[in-house]
Amino acid sequence: MRIAVWSPLPPSPSGIADYVAETLPALSKRFDVVALAEDPEAVSAAVRDAVPVHRAAEPPEADLHVHHLGNSPAHAFVYRAALAHPGVVVLHDWNLHHLVLRETVERGDVSAYLREMRRAYGETGTFVGRQVTRALGGDLLPALFPLNERVLEGSLGVVTLSAQTSARVGRRLPGRPRLHLPHHLSLPLDPPPSREESRRALGLPADAFVVTAPGLATASKRLDLAVRVMARLRADHPESLLVVAGAAEARLPLASWAAEAGLGDGLRVSGRLDLTDFERHLAAADAVLALRFPSHGEMSGAVVRALGVGRPVLVTTGSAAAAEFPEGVIVPVDPGPREEAELEACLRHLYARPALRETIGTLAAVHVRERHRLEDTVETLASFLRAVESGKAEALAAIAADRSGAGGLLGYFMEEVRWGARDLGLADVRLGLEGLLRPLTGSAR
Amino acid sequence: MTRPKTVLVCAAQAPFITGGAEILVEELRANLERHGFRADVAAVPFKWYPVSELVRQALAWRLLDLTESNGTPVDLVIPTKFPSFLVRHPRKVAWLFHQHREAYDLFGTPYCSLRDTPEDRQVRDAIQVMDTSALSECRTIYTISRNVASRLRSYNGLSGEALYPPPHHLGRYRADAYGDYLFYAGRLDRLKRLDLAIDAMARVKSGARLKIAGAGPLEGELRKQIEGLGVADRVELLGFVSADDLVALYAGARAAYYAPLNEDYGYVTVEAFLSRKPVVTTSDAGGVLEFVTDGQTGLVSEARAEAIAEAIDRLWSWPEARLREMGEGGRSRVAGISWDHVIERLTESIR
């Protein structure tokens, strides 16, 4: 069985690229796997050694397509492919709004974006879409409207990396094959280096209280309040250090936040890291800060790695990471008005109790090593892919019927009526609209 | 015993609003019953705003199956105004009150909520296409006026035959005298252009007065205009009046004023003629001009306040005998309008 895997691949800065690269060798033991990339020559040698990499513009025949979708621009070609070749969507982010925005508005086609919003959310979608195209509503409006409907409805099956996202898919597409696949644990250094060893390698002080925020620093990672909290902690405990293990988004005013809060040289930003140094940063931490608000429903690979090296990880209540792991394994922080105070209380508590940090870290490591093994997750995925492939013909026919009126006046009419059903979670119900509506289109088909 | 033929009158309805169309639908149903049919009204709420909702709301009609009800076949459906004619039925005879005029003759005018944007043009075009298709399914298309038929011909390429609806108080209209006031009865909205009449009243040189019966969204604005122009002694807003008062107000008027913009039909004209009163109107009033002939059954002026004032003064300068003669001329124009005729034509295919 030939599987075509569509995804950004290393050295793409997307975390999903690393995730997929880690799974390809194990997957290729079970299937004839080909990977699709926009520029195969740019893909890392390790990946090309594991599987053949084809140009996305010239995809080979495959029994099943697997589309790894996230919300970043690197996934644009995967998004287009998922619409063109129905397959299994691995939904790394629940919310694809920014991706759709880039594919429409930023390519100069505002109408296409408004059509997508209307198709998915009716009158409210039209209204919100207009606000977003006028740059109103900040990040919150896009976070509330995931714009994943079209790609999910055109899929043969959906894989999610969190139970929370899987439940959302189930509500949206009852009856569609779906799989909640635990995010695998992958550590380039296994067993992980000790805290002391890591700090020596990274040049971090051995006796510091290190709080590490892993990954690209973005506005939704709550670093503004983390900086203020760490500044207050540092006033009482000068050895406290906030380390951003990754690069920071250019527009994020991290330095001025640190200056305003008085954190000064208590903030370090590593810049982009390879996976080995990334793991060392996690191992060097006393606590790992992985807050996310608004959450786009993503499951963070950094969180799984941080748990795997046995560090306490603070996550935002309600986010996919918080819902995925039992309390005790992670430390939830409520994103409400008391978020900053709660974060400070949690960090002071952890600062004062090294034994508690060790206990939480040990529980975390045991949990993910038992339940997030790469071989197990790939085997689970492989079984799912086989099951989807066996029902592929029928599913493809249903999707083709669903799309039969796409484009033109008939498509417009059908979308207008379908929205009511879609809003009730009835995307898969055949409404028999074509026969009712085609006569209204006259010659304007 | 043969089963009475069943007829469903299809109405687009705005909940809590009863206007001329709703009254006409109910009278049609009652008169169908009077003629021995088993008749009912299928009314689906319709919301025409925001513009993005229009097409979806309209398509709701397409999803209904009105071919039978509780095992009883429906022999005939009579759609009335947009979007009720989207209904599916093998025997569909439309009596078209009007289409969604904002997608037709009102598009691009100040009376239209659709803008000249790609999205709104898509809505307009979709409405035109589905109207043409759905109305083409009708066995016959009747319209409430030649004006509505003419729009149907020019925008949709379809033929319709005018079938005038009788006014609500048919049989009760009378002429008592030719008094000192012009009379208007109807909804106070922008398309009726009462602002033009009030402007004209500020310019008349005769002792003409204007009485306006009815309510509507423009009432406050009109009241301000009356105060601003200092014509409160000549223009009176009566608000909603009873049926008896309405008939009496027509009966005592010197003439009626009715100058809406490209009106579909216009009961005022018919009611005035049945009361043997001439009508003052304008050359762009649409359906009104199917009855009013300048100098014979009324006066037709340009749609300017000065011209309307001049027409009113002319009317006031004429003796009562001439007014009576014009009123009688009007009455003979509308004498053939009756429910018997309407029902006979609409139900021809199931007799």
Side-chain angles (χ1 to χ4, degrees):
Chain A
M1 179 170 155
R2 172 172 267 193
I3 303 284
V5 177
W6 300 72
S7 175
L9 293 166
S12 164
S14 157
I16 297 166
D18 295 331
Y19 172 96
V20 174
E22 287 156 9
T23 63
L24 285 175
L27 204 60
S28 65
K29 285 182 199 162
R30 294 160 170 88
F31 302 109
D32 171 15
V33 176
V34 292
L36 281 304
E38 282 193 298
D39 181 6
E41 280 84 52
V43 172
S44 74
V47 173
R48 282 186 287 147
D49 288 347
V51 295
V53 182
H54 289 252
R55 193 170 298 282
E58 300 153 3
E61 288 292 315
D63 298 303
L64 194 62
H65 296 273
V66 177
H67 303 105
H68 287 271
L69 270 174
N71 200 18
S72 79
H75 295 268
F77 82 99
V78 184
Y79 181 80
R80 291 192 290 272
L83 295 177
H85 316 286
V88 170
V89 167
V90 184
L91 197 61
H92 291 261
D93 292 331
W94 168 249
N95 189 309
L96 303 178
H97 200 123
H98 286 293
L99 179 62
V100 178
L101 264 178
R102 285 185 198 100
E103 281 292 282
T104 52
V105 175
E106 292 180 21
R107 285 164 169 253
D109 194 351
V110 172
S111 296
Y113 168 69
L114 291 174
R115 276 198 303 277
E116 287 301 303
M117 285 294 283
R118 176 160 182 78
R119 177 189 184 276
Y121 311 113
E123 182 188 341
T124 307
T126 304
F127 175 77
V128 171
R130 287 208 180 102
Q131 308 307 304
V132 172
T133 55
R134 290 170 191 149
L136 299 172
D139 282 339
L140 198 56
L141 280 182
L144 295 172
F145 297 88
L147 269 183
N148 55 23
E149 289 79 3
R150 187 187 288 276
V151 80
L152 292 184
E153 285 162 21
S155 69
L156 302 176
V158 183
V159 178
T160 64
L161 301 179
S162 75
Q164 184 190 56
T165 306
S166 184
R168 285 169 152 178
V169 171
R171 281 195 295 274
R172 177 56 69 183
L173 296 168
R176 187 70 53 100
R178 68 191 154 98
L179 170 69
H180 163 214
L181 185 69
H183 191 301
H184 65 254
L185 172 65
S186 171
L187 294 171
L189 304 171
D190 201 12
S194 69
R195 182 176 285 111
E196 295 69 27
E197 197 183 330
S198 300
R199 290 189 183 189
R200 266 199 307 279
L202 298 170
L204 292 170
D207 57 350
F209 177 68
V210 175
V211 175
T212 297
L216 180 71
T218 62
S220 64
K221 291 190 175 171
R222 317 301 284 154
L223 290 169
D224 49 344
L225 60 96
V227 162
R228 291 194 295 272
V229 166
M230 288 303 291
R232 291 196 288 276
L233 192 64
R234 192 171 158 87
D236 297 336
H237 309 288
E239 74 281 19
S240 301
L241 205 57
L242 175 62
V243 177
V244 173
E249 267 187 348
R251 62 177 179 159
L252 202 72
L254 256 182
S256 42
W257 286 342
E260 275 170 32
L263 183 57
D265 60 0
L267 170 71
R268 296 194 188 178
V269 181
S270 71
R272 185 164 162 73
L273 299 164
D274 63 34
L275 279 176
T276 309
D277 273 348
F278 185 69
E279 183 183 340
R280 286 196 181 100
H281 268 281
L282 296 173
D286 291 296
V288 172
L289 200 58
L291 302 182
R292 186 65 66 95
F293 186 85
S295 166
H296 289 158
E298 63 275 51
M299 185 60 219
S300 162
V303 168
V304 179
R305 288 193 174 95
L307 296 171
V309 300
R311 298 295 175 264
V313 183
L314 289 83
V315 299
T316 299
T317 305
S319 64
E324 190 70 0
F325 300 102
E327 205 166 325
V329 167
I330 44 92
V331 182
V333 176
D334 197 284
R338 301 282 299 158
E339 182 181 13
E340 188 168 332
E342 191 171 323
L343 176 64
E344 183 171 349
C346 284
L347 286 177
R348 285 186 184 277
H349 196 72
L350 289 170
Y351 174 89
R353 292 167 182 80
L356 177 64
R357 300 199 299 260
E358 289 309 313
T359 304
I360 295 173
T362 304
L363 275 174
V366 168
H367 182 89
V368 295
R369 281 172 185 279
E370 276 181 3
R371 304 193 185 190
H372 295 251
R373 280 164 35 91
L374 178 63
E375 273 299 319
D376 294 345
T377 59
V378 170
E379 182 50 39
T380 305
L381 175 64
S383 302
F384 180 73
L385 296 180
R386 287 187 199 102
V388 171
E389 204 276 336
S390 68
K392 184 177 133 183
E394 195 183 329
L396 278 175
I399 290 170
D402 197 48
R403 289 176 175 177
S404 62
L409 191 57
L410 179 59
Y412 172 44
F413 285 167
M414 286 173 69
E415 288 304 336
E416 287 296 290
V417 178
R418 272 183 187 153
W419 179 80
R422 196 177 289 122
D423 193 44
L424 294 170
L426 301 176
D428 272 355
V429 175
R430 305 269 81 82
L431 297 173
L433 292 176
E434 188 180 350
L436 297 179
L437 301 179
R438 188 179 285 285
L440 284 184
T441 63
S443 55
R445 291 192 165 86
Chain B
M1 193 176 131
T2 54
R3 173 179 69 82
K5 299 283 187 183
T6 51
V7 182
L8 265 182
V9 179
C10 302
Q13 181 227 0
F16 312 115
I17 293 179
T18 305
E22 287 72 24
I23 292 169
L24 184 53
V25 161
E26 178 47 33
E27 289 189 342
L28 172 58
R29 187 205 61 75
N31 279 284
L32 283 163
E33 292 270 353
R34 195 165 61 80
H35 282 76
F37 295 99
R38 191 170 170 206
D40 207 344
V41 175
V44 176
F46 177 57
K47 181 169 173 266
W48 56 93
Y49 58 88
V51 171
S52 57
E53 274 302 285
L54 248 168
V55 172
R56 175 178 306 152
Q57 297 288 324
L59 288 172
W61 275 99
R62 199 63 180 175
L63 309 185
L64 305 176
D65 177 5
L66 299 185
T67 54
E68 63 165 274
S69 175
N70 197 25
T72 304
V74 174
D75 298 310
L76 172 70
V77 293
I78 304 176
T80 53
K81 64 182 184 180
F82 176 83
S84 65
F85 43 78
L86 266 57
V87 72
R88 292 173 294 126
H89 197 279
R91 186 174 279 109
K92 179 159 85 168
V93 173
W95 192 25
L96 192 59
F97 297 178
H98 56 77
Q99 294 171 268
H100 192 71
R101 291 180 58 192
E102 294 187 18
Y104 293 97
D105 60 305
L106 295 183
F107 188 81
T109 70
Y111 305 103
C112 182
S113 60
L114 275 76
R115 297 162 306 155
D116 195 9
T117 62
E119 292 161 54
D120 286 9
R121 280 198 301 272
Q122 183 189 33
V123 170
R124 180 199 62 184
D125 295 348
I127 290 173
Q128 293 192 359
V129 170
M130 64 187 183
D131 277 8
T132 305
S133 304
L135 285 166
S136 299
E137 297 167 345
C138 294
R139 295 200 168 204
T140 316
I141 304 172
Y142 294 104
T143 60
I144 58 163
S145 70
R146 290 209 304 266
N147 194 33
V148 173
S150 155
R151 283 191 216 128
L152 189 65
R153 157 77 58 199
S154 60
Y155 289 104
N156 305 91
L158 297 172
S159 296
E161 181 187 332
L163 187 59
Y164 297 122
H168 192 43
H169 307 295
L170 190 66
R172 296 180 60 190
Y173 299 99
R174 65 178 194 272
D176 292 341
Y178 288 81
D180 65 345
Y181 63 92
L182 272 172
F183 182 55
Y184 166 89
R187 193 165 160 75
L188 308 187
D189 65 30
R190 202 164 293 284
L191 273 178
K192 303 298 187 214
R193 295 196 301 198
L194 288 161
D195 51 340
L196 203 56
I198 294 167
D199 247 354
M201 291 307 291
R203 291 174 162 83
V204 293
K205 297 185 178 69
S206 58
R209 296 191 297 133
L210 172 64
K211 293 189 179 192
I212 298 171
L218 234 60
E219 187 170 341
E221 207 174 294
L222 294 176
R223 208 172 284 286
K224 276 188 201 153
Q225 188 190 1
I226 291 165
E227 283 165 16
L229 291 173
V231 292
D233 57 334
R234 267 170 282 165
V235 182
E236 202 178 344
L237 293 180
L238 304 172
F240 182 80
V241 298
S242 69
D244 287 345
D245 287 347
L246 181 81
V247 170
L249 282 160
Y250 272 118
R254 190 174 191 87
Y257 170 85
Y258 198 48
L261 178 66
N262 197 10
E263 178 71 351
D264 304 319
Y265 171 52
Y267 280 121
V268 175
T269 319
V270 183
E271 289 180 308
F273 282 0
L274 289 170
S275 309
R276 297 178 175 81
K277 300 299 160 70
V279 172
V280 176
T281 188
T282 53
S283 53
D284 58 357
V288 180
L289 302 173
E290 292 173 34
F291 302 98
V292 181
T293 307
D294 190 33
Q296 291 179 25
T297 54
L299 289 173
V300 181
S301 80
E302 286 177 51
R304 292 184 296 108
E306 297 82 357
I308 294 169
E310 201 177 296
I312 295 170
D313 282 339
R314 198 140 49 98
L315 201 68
W316 251 253
S317 72
W318 290 341
E320 184 174 323
R322 176 150 190 200
L323 301 174
R324 190 177 299 279
E325 187 187 335
M326 293 173 91
E328 288 294 348
R331 187 168 184 281
S332 63
R333 288 274 173 94
V334 299
I337 298 175
S338 73
W339 275 113
D340 290 349
H341 179 61
V342 169
I343 301 299
E344 185 183 325
R345 301 305 300 273
L346 288 175
T347 58
E348 252 168 10
S349 64
I350 55 168
R351 283 177 182 278

